[in-house]
């Protein structure tokens, strides 16, 4: 039989980045906070992030780098808790860090330093943390949320959903947040894997023989484009450019890769003038990995010296190399997705406090919400900003 209720001011479900910062913020405001997670330790996704060094924010954070059914929703929280605010916390805890490309900030040492920092902040706020505590029941009555976890029950006027999405299920990720949100009348935007490798079939399967080859490209999906590295894999396409574009791609659509983003118009015709005895593949090898250059040359099926190829054929080859079309047949799913796109609909939440409009005392933050950032620290910044916003409000 469960023991009698223990009363708190707020119960936070999920000890990931958003939940930890929310609990610490509320606790340091004098709230009595309970933080519960079914995982055996707090911050499991933080620990594996950034190759174990945690890409904890991005200095270029802006609302237009997030995907949501309401593109304006993230503005308030991101504007009030910025990368500089989190960086100040990092430096206060004397965690050494460095900036990599495109504004990405990483720990010099281990991602575990970030988890330890957040746990220290929770301790400073007197937060009661319970890990390895599966939740067996949640009820709401008399303006209180009652949570049963193991043999214990706890009650509070505020409940924060910070349990993330189903990406990386081997870490214990589930769709728990969506089921709970629906129970309390909140809508859910259909979740799907994001920042995820794409798989290829049909004629594109021939590129699998190039598994392990990487090159810088511009990846296009509709009007969206990213310039970063693409990696050819035994299943399809990966690498930063592909992970970025995957968040915008929809099943059945094509994506296009510009394999030579630094080549000006007419470069092949110019190459013909300067090296008329070179083949197309040899010309491509000057700018691409050899295996990829040979495969693209073979696909373009322009044999012989450049001198013997008409300018119009070379111009056509240029156009195809600049917009090489692939039609992925799917993704590698939640198992390989860094985050989940979609989630608890923002139209039911306050953008300032993250509180449900029609369910007083219920909050949703982090990846559980329909706000998905670009690759490169943006999703952590959303976790910190939304967690801080709710922590200030509960």
């Amino acid at each position: 039989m469960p023991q009698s209720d223990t009363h708190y001011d707020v119960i936070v479900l999920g000890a990931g980045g958003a939940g930890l910062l929310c609990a610490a913020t509320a606790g340091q405001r004098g709230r009595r906070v309970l933080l519960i997670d079914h995982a055996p330790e707090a911050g499991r996704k933080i620990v594996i992030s950034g190759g174990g060094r945690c890409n904890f924010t991005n200095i270029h954070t802006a609302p237009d780098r997030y995907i949501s059914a309401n593109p304006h929703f993230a503005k308030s929280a991101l504007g009030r808790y910025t990368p500089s605010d989190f960086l100040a916390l990092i430096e206060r805890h004397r965690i050494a860090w460095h900036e990599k490309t495109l504004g990405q900030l990483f720990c010099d040492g281990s991602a575990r330093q970030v988890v330890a920092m957040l746990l220290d902040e929770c301790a400073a706020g007197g937060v009661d943390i319970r890990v390895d505590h599966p939740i067996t029941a949640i009820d709401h009555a008399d303006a209180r949320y009652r949570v049963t976890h193991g043999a214990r029950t706890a009650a509070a006027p505020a409940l924060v959903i910070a349990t993330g999405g189903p990406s990386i299920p081997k870490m214990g990720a589930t769709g728990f947040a969506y089921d709970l949100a629906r129970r309390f009348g909140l809508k859910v935007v259909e979740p799907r894997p994001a920042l995820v490798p794409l798989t290829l079939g049909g004629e594109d399967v021939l590129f699998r023989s190039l598994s392990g080859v990487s090159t810088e490209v511009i990846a296009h999906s509709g009007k969206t484009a990213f310039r970063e590295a693409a990696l050819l894999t035994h299943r399809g396409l990966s690498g930063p450019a592909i992970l970025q574009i995957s968040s915008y791609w929809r099943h059945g659509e094509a994506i296009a890769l510009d394999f030579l983003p630094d080549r000006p118009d007419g470069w092949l015709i110019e190459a013909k003038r300067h090296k008329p005895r070179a083949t197309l593949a040899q010309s491509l090898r000057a700018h691409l990995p050899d295996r990829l250059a040979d495969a693209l040359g073979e696909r373009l099926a322009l044999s012989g010296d450049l001198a013997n190829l008409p300018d119009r054929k070379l111009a056509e080859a240029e156009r195809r190399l600049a917009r090489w079309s692939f039609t992925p047949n799917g993704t590698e799913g939640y198992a390989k997705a860094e985050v989940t796109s979609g989630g608890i609909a923002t139209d039911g939440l306050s953008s300032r406090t993250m509180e449900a409009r029609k369910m007083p005392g219920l909050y949703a933050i982090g990846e559980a919400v329909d706000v998905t950032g670009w690759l490169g620290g943006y999703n952590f910044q959303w976790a910190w900003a939304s967690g801080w916003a709710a922590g200030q409000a509960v």
Side-chain angles (χ1 to χ4, degrees):
M1 287 289 291
Q3 301 170 1
S4 59
D5 293 359
T6 304
H7 292 278
Y8 293 87
D9 296 313
V10 55
I11 300 171
V12 180
L13 307 179
L20 284 163
L21 192 66
C22 176
T25 302
Q28 291 180 30
R29 291 178 55 240
R31 303 295 187 263
R32 190 177 183 208
V33 182
L34 172 64
L35 177 61
I36 309 173
D37 200 302
H38 72 285
E41 61 180 333
R44 296 187 84 192
K45 280 191 180 180
I46 298 175
V47 170
I48 67 167
S49 67
R53 290 192 171 181
C54 188
N55 179 192
F56 56 80
T57 192
N58 194 298
I59 60 175
H60 300 310
T61 294
D64 65 359
R65 300 187 172 200
Y66 292 83
I67 304 166
S68 174
N70 176 2
H72 302 291
F73 180 82
K75 288 181 178 178
S76 176
L78 291 173
R80 288 182 298 126
Y81 192 89
T82 68
S84 296
D85 292 317
F86 193 77
L87 187 56
L89 184 62
I90 288 280
E91 292 186 330
R92 195 165 77 240
H93 284 259
R94 299 182 179 179
I95 297 174
W97 60 276
H98 61 279
E99 179 182 346
K100 289 182 74 173
T101 56
L102 305 174
Q104 303 169 72
L105 303 190
F106 286 79
C107 298
D108 284 359
S110 168
R112 290 189 179 277
Q113 293 174 284
V114 176
V115 178
M117 175 191 78
L118 293 168
L119 290 173
D120 286 347
E121 289 290 310
C122 284
V127 176
D128 189 355
I129 300 178
R130 306 278 173 80
V131 293
D132 209 8
H133 273 243
I135 294 164
T136 54
I138 299 177
D139 301 298
H140 181 258
D142 302 323
R144 285 190 171 271
Y145 295 89
R146 189 167 179 267
V147 178
T148 304
H149 53 109
R152 307 183 182 197
T153 62
L159 180 70
V160 182
I161 304 172
T163 53
S167 60
I168 319 183
K170 69 179 181 181
M171 302 299 293
T174 70
F176 177 87
Y178 312 144
D179 296 336
L180 183 58
R182 290 188 185 100
R183 263 193 55 199
F184 288 118
L186 294 175
K187 295 177 182 176
V188 174
V189 175
E190 183 179 4
R192 58 190 184 84
L195 301 181
V196 64
L198 300 173
T199 57
L200 298 175
E203 289 188 9
D204 294 331
V205 166
L206 294 177
F207 281 91
R208 288 186 190 169
S209 64
L210 302 177
S211 180
V213 172
S214 177
T215 190
E216 186 168 338
V217 302
I218 298 176
H220 299 263
S221 179
K223 296 180 180 180
T224 304
F226 292 95
R227 179 171 177 160
E228 287 193 70
L231 172 68
L232 298 166
T233 75
H234 69 288
R235 297 192 65 187
L237 299 169
S238 188
I242 302 303
L243 299 185
Q244 293 279 39
I245 213 69
S246 73
S247 296
Y248 294 84
W249 175 78
R250 294 293 185 274
H251 195 80
E253 295 177 350
I255 65 166
L257 300 187
D258 180 350
F259 281 113
L260 296 160
D262 292 322
R263 293 293 89 204
D265 289 345
W267 75 272
L268 264 179
I269 295 169
E270 191 66 20
K272 174 180 173 178
R273 308 270 188 271
H274 285 88
K275 294 186 177 180
R277 296 303 170 201
T279 65
L280 175 59
Q282 287 169 337
S283 299
L284 291 175
R285 280 184 173 206
H287 308 289
L288 293 169
D290 289 355
R291 288 167 61 203
L292 177 59
D294 291 346
L296 292 173
E298 186 179 329
R299 285 294 192 92
L300 290 167
L302 295 179
S303 58
D305 298 346
L306 293 181
N308 296 320
L309 297 173
D311 285 2
R312 63 178 179 79
K313 289 282 190 182
L314 294 176
E316 184 182 322
E318 274 189 32
R319 284 192 294 273
R320 190 166 176 201
L321 288 163
R323 297 284 296 194
W324 198 285
S325 181
F326 294 89
T327 302
N329 59 11
T331 76
E332 292 198 25
Y334 288 120
K336 294 296 177 70
E338 297 207 8
V339 293
T340 304
S341 184
I344 298 171
T346 58
D347 60 6
L349 304 174
S350 161
S351 63
R352 184 168 182 83
T353 65
M354 306 293 133
E355 185 176 16
R357 298 185 186 282
K358 296 181 179 179
M359 196 70 193
L362 182 66
Y363 299 76
I365 59 176
E367 190 185 346
V369 178
D370 175 33
V371 175
T372 306
W374 288 3
L375 184 73
Y378 293 98
N379 287 292
F380 271 129
Q381 187 57 39
W382 169 247
W384 316 137
S386 59
W388 182 88
Q392 289 289 331
V394 293

